[in-house]
Amino acid sequence: DHALATLSSPRPVIPGDRAAVTTVPGLYAPHATETGLADLGLNQHPAGRPIYVGKSQSSLRTRTLGTHFRTGRTGHSTVRRSLAALLQENLDLTVVQRPGKGHPTNFSIAAPGDARLTEWMFIHLRLACWACSEGLHLPVFETAVIRHWCPPMNLDHAGIVWPLLVERLADMRRQMPQHHGSS
């Protein structure tokens, strides 16, 4: 109950405000503003619920601010890749191959568009974090929270509530690398 209550109270993410997010393990939940939900095509998503729930086994700050809310990290962030797929046309994003080796669906976004994606995130997303007590098995809590809310961007768990969105988002993410070099 404490995790759900904490993850239901998102705050704006302020660029450079590293002190706002703790460095301990835990769960994080990005929420979208009303305008953000409309941009993502998630108009029917219930207000007050996150669009994604994830875990960090080491540092919430590193996972959220250092990866998800950081330009240049799209190839390393499921959240950024899903947002990029849904916002590709709106933000004029150009797909590029992720530097280094990796699965081809772990695409990245060309620098100007990647910066636009980050800017969109700071404007339209709010973040809630729940710090985990020592000794708790974090994956069990993550699964329970995801099952409780069925966030639409948790593709492995949202299919029951959001089957059409999950199918559309999965297709868009698969197609993004095929558009390598196009916008």
Side-chain angles (χ1 to χ4, degrees):
D1 287 343
H2 183 259
L4 290 173
T6 303
L7 294 171
S8 293
S9 302
R11 299 182 337 189
V13 182
I14 300 168
D17 185 8
R18 297 181 50 80
V21 180
T22 184
T23 59
V24 301
L27 301 179
Y28 58 91
H31 296 243
T33 63
E34 189 175 319
T35 304
L37 289 172
D39 288 353
L40 294 168
L42 298 174
N43 301 21
Q44 298 188 358
H45 184 62
R49 290 192 179 179
I51 59 171
Y52 182 84
V53 172
K55 70 178 176 308
S56 173
Q57 299 278 35
S58 56
S59 167
L60 283 164
R61 181 184 302 161
T62 299
R63 187 71 181 137
T64 59
L65 301 181
T67 301
H68 297 316
F69 281 85
R70 185 168 165 208
T71 300
R73 301 298 294 171
T74 299
H76 302 275
S77 168
T78 298
V79 173
R80 289 183 72 86
R81 286 191 306 275
S82 291
L83 291 170
L86 294 172
L87 297 167
Q88 184 178 15
E89 288 183 27
N90 290 356
L91 298 180
D92 190 25
L93 304 177
T94 301
V95 177
V96 295
Q97 185 176 8
R98 178 178 149 178
K101 294 184 179 181
H103 195 274
T105 59
N106 290 352
F107 59 85
S108 196
I109 301 297
D114 206 41
R116 285 191 298 276
L117 177 60
T118 302
E119 181 180 357
W120 185 94
M121 292 172 68
F122 280 118
I123 294 169
H124 298 288
L125 296 184
R126 305 295 178 256
L127 183 65
C129 294
W130 174 70
C132 181
S133 300
E134 266 190 63
L136 291 180
H137 190 58
L138 199 51
V140 171
F141 279 85
E142 177 192 32
T143 299
V145 170
I146 290 169
R147 286 187 178 154
H148 177 78
W149 277 322
C150 293
M153 289 177 45
N154 284 92
L155 298 183
D156 292 339
H157 301 280
I160 295 169
V161 177
W162 301 94
L164 297 177
L165 171 69
V166 168
E167 184 178 323
R168 186 178 112 226
L169 182 53
D171 284 345
M172 293 172 86
R173 283 191 45 182
R174 275 192 297 276
Q175 292 172 19
M176 292 279 294
Q178 296 169 11
H179 296 126
H180 171 36
S182 65
S183 58

